[in-house]
Amino acid sequence: MKWAVLISGGGTNLQALIDAVAAGRLSAELGLVVSNRADAGGLARAAAAGIPTAVIEHKDFASREEFDKKLVDTLKSHQIEWIALAGFMRVLTPIFLNAFAGKIVNIHPSLLPSFPGIRAQEQAFESGVKVAGCTVHFVDNGVDTGPIIAQRAVEVVEEDTVETLRQKILAQEHEIFPAVIHWIDQGFVTIDQKGTRPIVRLAIP
Ligand code: GRF
């Protein structure tokens, strides 16, 4: 299936996806990389891998809705079906969410539902938790609230700083994100409704 990766920064998670495709561990077709910042380092990673890129700067739009409309039009014009948010620092409106309903996944650097939002690693570090980690989840209309697909934990030890913790979490992100996208691409991931809660079912052969 044809995926777009949305970024705002350095793009190490994008690189992990590119590397996984090259290594034959990820079946997804990475059809487009979109950044909301022209200076995002990830754009060069996409270009080096021969993936088309688009820059849509949010500051050029009067509202979130107008920005999202432009995003949707761009993605549709590239026949994109699925979206991977890889460090994309914009909250999406229903215009975007409805256009790709159930087909948007995000990587977040905490064990959700703990520490949603920005600076998740700092939040975790400052709270004194002994276990931190990352989460890949479907995106709904809340901030980092959608159905959880997979998580990886790391231990927080006394010697850690925010920076070492960030790096430990990032190393896990780089493994789990390509794995989850591969599972989705292969049809191994479905959502069941349990009462009022959607629960993700993984059927990995
Ligand atoms: C990652 O920690 C990701 O979980 C968060 O933003 C960061 C992006 O890093 N959403 P990179 O641009 O992939 O290096």
Side-chain angles (χ1 to χ4, degrees), residues 56 61 65-75:
I56 304 172
F61 295 83
E65 286 75 15
E66 282 170 50
F67 171 70
D68 278 9
K69 244 179 241 156
K70 175 70 179 174
L71 267 182
V72 170
D73 288 348
T74 304
L75 295 163

Side-chain angles (χ1 to χ4, degrees), residues 31-130:
L32 183 67
V33 169
V34 182
S35 173
N36 66 311
R37 298 175 53 121
D39 61 356
L43 289 166
R45 298 177 187 273
I51 302 170
T53 59
V55 174
I56 304 172
E57 295 205 88
H58 59 275
K59 57 181 169 58
D60 295 341
F61 295 83
S63 67
R64 287 189 190 276
E65 286 75 15
E66 282 170 50
F67 171 70
D68 278 9
K69 244 179 241 156
K70 175 70 179 174
L71 267 182
V72 170
D73 288 348
T74 304
L75 295 163
K76 297 279 184 196
S77 73
H78 283 79
Q79 290 83 44
I80 297 299
E81 302 168 78
W82 281 84
I83 314 290
L85 303 180
F88 185 65
M89 304 300 286
R90 302 297 301 170
V91 173
L92 296 162
T93 71
I95 289 179
F96 188 94
L97 299 173
N98 295 338
F100 293 97
K103 296 193 164 184
I104 310 168
V105 293
N106 181 45
I107 177 104
H108 182 77
S110 79
L111 293 175
L112 292 171
S114 293
F115 314 124
I118 59 167
R119 296 161 44 89
Q121 304 95 330
E122 282 96 327
Q123 292 184 56
F125 187 77
E126 283 159 15
S127 76
V129 290
K130 303 297 184 196

Side-chain angles (χ1 to χ4, degrees), residues 75-190:
L75 295 163
K76 297 279 184 196
S77 73
H78 283 79
Q79 290 83 44
I80 297 299
E81 302 168 78
W82 281 84
I83 314 290
L85 303 180
F88 185 65
M89 304 300 286
R90 302 297 301 170
V91 173
L92 296 162
T93 71
I95 289 179
F96 188 94
L97 299 173
N98 295 338
F100 293 97
K103 296 193 164 184
I104 310 168
V105 293
N106 181 45
I107 177 104
H108 182 77
S110 79
L111 293 175
L112 292 171
S114 293
F115 314 124
I118 59 167
R119 296 161 44 89
Q121 304 95 330
E122 282 96 327
Q123 292 184 56
F125 187 77
E126 283 159 15
S127 76
V129 290
K130 303 297 184 196
V131 176
C134 54
T135 303
V136 183
H137 64 96
F138 285 111
V139 174
D140 66 8
N141 54 14
V143 174
D144 303 321
T145 51
I148 290 170
I149 307 168
Q151 297 182 299
R152 280 280 186 87
V154 302
E155 210 179 328
V156 186
V157 295
E158 204 161 326
E159 298 72 38
D160 271 324
T161 61
V162 174
E163 197 44 43
T164 62
L165 181 58
R166 185 193 314 281
Q167 292 307 325
K168 282 202 273 192
I169 294 172
L170 205 49
Q172 296 302 315
E173 294 182 39
H174 295 163
E175 290 187 12
I176 198 177
F177 203 32
V180 167
I181 291 177
H182 182 68
W183 298 338
I184 292 173
D185 199 69
Q186 293 287 307
F188 302 153
V189 179
T190 49

